[in-house]
Amino acid sequence: MSGASAASGASAASGPRPVIVSCAVTGGADSADASPAIPRSPEQIANEVLAARKAGAAIAHIHVRHPTTGKPSRDLAYYRETVARIRDAGSDVLINLTTGPGAGFAPHSNDPLANFVSPEARVAHVLELRPHICSLDVATMNFGASAMVNVPAHLTTMARLIHDAGVKPELEVFDLGHVQLAASMVAQGLFEAPPFLQLCLGISWGAPATAEGMVAMKSLLPPGALFSAFGISRAQFPMVAQSVILGGHVRVGLEDNLYLSRGVLAPGNAALVERAVTIVEALGARVATPKEAAALLGIG
């Protein structure tokens, strides 16, 4: 029995299964002009995190942006301010900082490696700020017109630094081979139990946001793993339902989808979280609190 199945079976006897809702509040794409709801400044991002928590999210997945231009940023000062604002507000939300930026390869540009930095630089903000969770993209793949490059040696370096910082890694996987690589890293003892994988569906040239795609990725999970999943754009809410049905957890947010329905922009992340909560509860589960999420994920 897989970890997800065991957890589902254990909770069936004691009541509705707790489902962790994560909210990815802004994302790392150059998309700030696509919707007025996308937060840019640390204050706006922190406020969106707090609103998402109030709506039911237990985890907030955070990128930062340049406050004026809205362009994606890796500036440590923006991370410091964002995290400080959340902590100063006294929120119990679990903070999940991205480590994705810094792996970009853009062969069509004048400087194809302009956005490619060392593994150590990619986790510097995590080592300083010590969030509860940070993402780790176990993936090398075409990504739209560019690519992201995460070679095993870099992933191992990042995994060890994250482990030594006492932070829980969320292993983001975008296709079947990525799940297998993550499982290999788990087998090497690079992560504390239980491993936590985020199944990322619908991104161009990765696994499709379909029931078949999610089932195939779930079938390759390492023993004892917990998983969450998301679909982008109009697949966001169908993939919420699919993940709950398969015994997993869920992610929504403006990083992945801007709309509540066709042609109707979400006014903020809270509205997307509220829709996810409705789906979770309609399927007979319940939304996990941050304390419950921490216990499920083995966060001290």
Side-chain angles (χ1 to χ4, degrees):
M1 179 179 289
S2 72
S5 298
S8 179
S11 64
S14 57
R17 180 175 72 90
V19 171
I20 301 168
V21 177
S22 296
C23 184
V25 296
T26 192
D30 189 6
S31 59
D33 294 331
S35 168
I38 293 178
R40 301 181 178 212
S41 69
E43 180 178 12
Q44 292 171 343
I45 293 169
N47 286 343
E48 282 293 297
V49 168
L50 298 175
R53 170 67 195 103
K54 186 176 181 180
I59 298 173
H61 178 60
I62 299 170
H63 292 251
V64 293
R65 296 177 179 272
H66 188 283
T68 302
T69 66
K71 299 290 185 182
S73 176
R74 293 181 46 255
D75 194 319
L76 184 51
Y78 300 150
Y79 280 110
R80 285 193 192 109
E81 182 180 348
T82 301
V83 171
R85 286 179 177 276
I86 297 166
R87 288 173 172 165
D88 289 347
S91 178
D92 61 351
V93 70
L94 301 182
I95 296 172
N96 177 351
L97 299 183
T98 184
T99 67
F105 174 63
H108 54 278
S109 69
N110 293 329
D111 187 0
L113 293 175
N115 294 313
F116 196 83
V117 300
S118 71
E120 293 81 3
R122 289 175 60 187
V123 298
H125 58 304
V126 171
L127 304 188
E128 176 178 325
L129 298 172
R130 306 295 173 102
H132 305 90
I133 305 166
C134 71
S135 66
L136 182 61
D137 293 339
V138 185
T140 293
M141 64 180 292
N142 292 318
F143 205 86
S146 300
M148 64 173 173
V149 180
N150 293 286
V151 297
H154 285 189
L155 291 172
T156 298
T157 296
M158 293 171 69
R160 288 175 173 157
L161 291 168
I162 292 165
H163 176 274
D164 291 346
V167 177
K168 181 76 177 185
E170 174 199 69
L171 310 180
E172 293 199 351
V173 290
F174 299 74
D175 214 337
L176 297 179
H178 306 161
V179 185
Q180 292 179 302
L181 176 54
S184 174
M185 295 177 71
V186 169
Q188 294 172 47
L190 291 170
F191 310 116
E192 297 288 345
F196 179 42
L197 282 77
Q198 184 74 251
L199 312 184
C200 310
L201 301 162
I203 293 89
S204 296
W205 323 132
T210 61
E212 294 84 356
M214 192 183 297
V215 168
M217 293 179 80
K218 179 180 181 291
S219 72
L220 297 175
L221 292 175
L226 297 181
F227 80 95
S228 176
F230 70 86
I232 65 166
S233 190
R234 61 187 175 186
Q236 181 162 89
F237 298 121
M239 291 299 99
V240 167
Q242 187 65 59
S243 189
V244 175
I245 289 168
L246 291 177
H249 304 277
V250 303
R251 170 174 136 175
V252 292
L254 291 172
E255 174 173 351
D256 307 322
N257 165 51
L258 303 178
Y259 293 88
L260 276 175
S261 58
R262 184 177 178 87
V264 180
L265 287 168
N269 284 283
L272 299 173
V273 173
E274 288 167 358
R275 179 72 58 81
V277 169
T278 297
I279 295 169
V280 169
E281 293 177 345
L283 290 170
R286 64 178 178 84
V287 174
T289 66
K291 183 176 180 179
E292 290 173 321
L296 287 168
L297 296 172
I299 296 173

